[in-house]
Amino acid sequence: MNKSRNYFHLHLVSDSTGETLMTVARAATVQYEDVQEIEHVYPLVRTQKQLDRVVSEIQAAPGIVLYTLVDKDISARLERTCRELGIPFVNILDPVFAVFQSYLNVTQTHRIGGQHELDAEYFKRIDALNYTMMHDDGQIWEDLEAADIVLVGISRTSKTPTCIYLANRGIKAANVPLVPDIPLPPQLLELKKPLVVGLIASAERIQQIRRNRVLSLQSENYNDTYVDRKEIAREINLTRRLCSDNEWPLIDVTRRSIEETAAEIMALYRAAKTKQVDDQEV
């Protein structure tokens, strides 16, 4: 029996892209099983005229208002509107700014969208994305040594989305598929700089994903072994053996989100970098 859900309006108002707000809002709303938000997102609100539409929509559908607005006049008007309507509102960065200012004892610069400036970090992420897209699914093997991280795994272990997630954080990530009876590129076994990580999942999970993929593609020209559970189990065992032989860390992604998998890979990467530095100093 399905539980009835209570719906509420959630207004996210930002003078930048709104990504920070959406991340915080979704982290909060997922904690409440019996409620469902109706999300209204207003990015790039930087003038009073742009705020007019926001105010109008909040008045039409009152709810919770979360915002990140640097301009004091715009944020003051939004707060005034919320008070008049008797609805809750939170500038989600205020508590963070207060802690930083108290600890650092420096003045806040009030830069709008400062995290999205076209600085060296931004271009590092773009460079990483370009590298990752060019090296997806083993497309280019010759320069794997230029990668920061190389993921290996059988089909449907989320190698590509994990690589893209890492690239968005400035990590050059390549991935190499493990296909039965097809030799690995010799460069993979000779890598010195990149961290190589193996990805696996349960045979049941991979079988389910592969079946869904075959159905979605409406493909009749596929090998039966692709969705055969015993064959999938054999592929998984080959992955385990390969990683064990080469002392590569192995991550089971069966019950992990892309974000959780990437977080563990990043922890392994930082540990490997630290070890490299320590070895050089010895």
Side-chain angles (χ1 to χ4, degrees):
M1 182 175 178
N2 294 327
K3 294 182 179 179
S4 60
R5 281 181 172 265
N6 296 316
Y7 291 86
F8 72 99
H9 293 279
L10 178 61
H11 299 272
L12 308 177
V13 189
S14 173
D15 50 23
S16 188
T17 63
E19 293 176 16
T20 301
L21 279 172
M22 288 187 283
T23 300
V24 171
R26 288 165 189 171
T29 55
V30 74
Q31 301 299 322
Y32 302 92
E33 295 182 356
D34 299 333
V35 295
Q36 178 68 53
E37 76 279 8
I38 301 173
E39 200 172 77
H40 308 262
V41 183
Y42 314 94
L44 304 173
V45 178
R46 300 179 180 179
T47 68
Q48 292 288 350
K49 185 175 182 181
Q50 290 169 332
L51 186 62
D52 288 343
R53 180 177 72 88
V54 178
V55 168
S56 176
E57 294 200 20
I58 293 174
Q59 290 172 335
I64 297 174
V65 176
L66 304 182
Y67 68 97
T68 53
L69 297 171
V70 170
D71 188 284
K72 292 183 178 179
D73 292 335
I74 294 176
S75 61
R77 181 185 168 199
L78 178 62
E79 291 172 7
R80 189 165 57 250
T81 298
C82 292
R83 288 193 186 96
E84 292 170 354
L85 293 171
I87 59 177
F89 59 93
V90 181
N91 183 337
I92 65 166
L93 291 179
D94 267 356
V96 180
F97 288 149
V99 171
F100 270 63
Q101 188 162 338
S102 173
Y103 185 79
L104 299 174
N105 195 28
V106 293
T107 304
Q108 186 183 337
T109 59
H110 298 285
R111 285 188 300 164
I112 295 174
Q115 72 272 37
H116 301 294
E117 287 185 349
L118 304 184
D119 56 10
E121 285 298 316
Y122 174 83
F123 289 107
K124 180 183 177 182
R125 291 196 300 273
I126 297 302
D127 187 37
L129 277 167
N130 286 335
Y131 180 90
T132 295
M133 297 309 294
M134 289 175 61
H135 294 77
D136 180 41
D137 207 27
Q139 291 183 75
I140 300 176
W141 296 345
E142 289 76 12
D143 64 337
L144 282 178
E145 190 66 41
D148 297 310
I149 292 171
V150 177
L151 302 184
V152 297
I154 64 176
S155 171
R156 306 296 105 192
T157 50
S158 302
K159 298 185 299 298
T160 294
T162 303
C163 281
I164 293 173
Y165 187 94
L166 291 168
N168 272 291
R169 277 139 186 81
I171 298 294
K172 289 184 177 179
N175 73 79
V176 176
L178 302 182
V179 183
D181 305 321
I182 294 183
L184 290 169
Q187 292 90 340
L188 178 66
L189 303 178
E190 299 169 359
L191 294 177
K192 302 298 182 184
K193 170 181 164 285
L195 170 69
V196 183
V197 179
L199 302 183
I200 59 169
S202 69
E204 293 80 9
R205 178 60 176 160
I206 293 176
Q207 183 184 48
Q208 178 187 27
I209 296 173
R210 288 185 179 182
R211 280 177 174 170
N212 290 340
R213 180 166 176 78
V214 169
L215 289 173
S216 67
L217 295 176
Q218 297 182 339
S219 175
E220 296 179 357
N221 300 317
Y222 73 93
N223 191 330
D224 287 342
T225 59
Y226 183 69
V227 295
D228 181 78
R229 190 187 178 287
K230 288 186 178 179
E231 178 60 26
I232 293 171
R234 185 176 80 90
E235 293 179 37
I236 294 170
N237 288 333
L238 289 173
T239 304
R240 290 184 182 276
R241 191 175 306 125
L242 175 69
C243 290
S244 176
D245 290 345
N246 291 279
E247 298 183 340
W248 296 336
L250 187 66
I251 298 175
D252 189 330
V253 303
T254 304
R255 299 184 181 278
R256 294 178 186 266
S257 65
I258 298 300
E259 294 84 354
E260 290 170 328
T261 301
E264 180 160 349
I265 292 170
M266 286 299 298
L268 291 168
Y269 178 68
R270 285 190 291 267
K273 295 289 286 184
T274 300
K275 185 177 184 302
Q276 286 178 1
V277 173
D278 292 342
D279 291 344
Q280 290 172 0
E281 292 178 350
V282 173

